[in-house]
Amino acid sequence: HSHVIYSDDAGATWALGGVLPGRTDESIAAELADGSLYLNMRNNYGLKQRAFAVSTDRGQTFGPLAHDAALVEPVCQGSVLGVTRSAEHLMFFSNPANVKRENMTVRISRDETKTWSAGKVLWQGPSAYSDLAQLDAQTLACLYERGENNPYETITLARIAMDAF
């Protein structure tokens, strides 16, 4: 079950927030422009698509679980990051964009995750887990697993200009 654990007192205490249906895990959250919480999840429903749900009450509960056909996955962890840039709210997503663990790709959504770009391929070969971060006002970082023969040979840090999307 994907879920959130939160603190409203700077980490002094923690509580369990919204819990999603089973067969989802390795979730990651990002805030949408309206303050909603977007939870993106690896899923084990056999669809080869990312699952997601949205909370409008700071993660206490989530709306229905849905699947995003644009975010193909091989049942692998992925990353999501919200960035506000020049008054525009952007969402970025990274994962091996294939039904196998290969083709590490970073995508952008300019409409709050309703649609995603085809993306920028960072590595066409074997790849797996990734994490996104904002380095500065113009640059993202994607830390990801990759290799020639299997996805776990090395860890790579890619710097990506936000203007590249």
Side-chain angles (χ1 to χ4, degrees):
H1 295 275
S2 290
H3 58 279
V4 295
I5 298 173
Y6 69 93
S7 174
D8 282 336
D9 57 12
T13 61
W14 294 88
L16 178 64
V19 178
L20 279 297
R23 298 180 11 201
T24 62
D25 56 18
E26 296 185 353
S27 57
I28 186 161
E31 188 174 5
L32 298 172
D34 68 0
S36 298
L37 190 63
Y38 168 82
L39 192 67
N40 185 291
M41 299 156 269
R42 177 172 100 157
N43 85 73
N44 293 287
Y45 285 90
L47 300 174
K48 301 295 185 177
Q49 302 170 354
R50 297 293 291 184
F52 71 95
V54 176
S55 172
T56 58
D57 59 9
R58 299 175 54 208
Q60 298 292 311
T61 62
F62 282 88
L65 182 73
H67 296 91
D68 193 330
L71 300 180
V72 176
E73 75 156 358
V75 186
C76 186
Q77 179 269 356
S79 185
V80 67
L81 176 70
V83 173
T84 299
R85 184 169 181 246
S86 301
E88 180 181 26
H89 190 258
L90 309 170
M91 296 293 287
F92 293 93
F93 175 77
S94 65
N95 80 328
N98 196 318
V99 296
K100 297 190 304 185
R101 289 189 175 194
E102 60 187 28
N103 202 43
M104 180 56 65
T105 302
V106 177
R107 300 174 188 270
I108 187 172
S109 174
R110 296 178 187 279
D111 59 8
E112 299 295 275
T113 75
K114 290 175 188 63
T115 62
W116 295 93
S117 71
K120 179 175 178 51
V121 176
L122 303 181
W123 180 254
Q124 290 182 337
S127 51
Y129 287 26
S130 61
D131 197 16
L132 292 169
Q134 183 176 0
L135 294 179
D136 58 39
Q138 292 83 29
T139 314
L140 297 176
C142 183
L143 185 70
Y144 65 99
E145 297 174 307
R146 75 170 194 171
E148 294 291 334
N149 300 306
N150 71 68
Y152 317 110
E153 294 171 21
T154 190
I155 295 176
T156 299
L157 178 68
R159 289 173 180 80
I160 308 151
M162 286 187 226
D163 290 338
F165 293 93

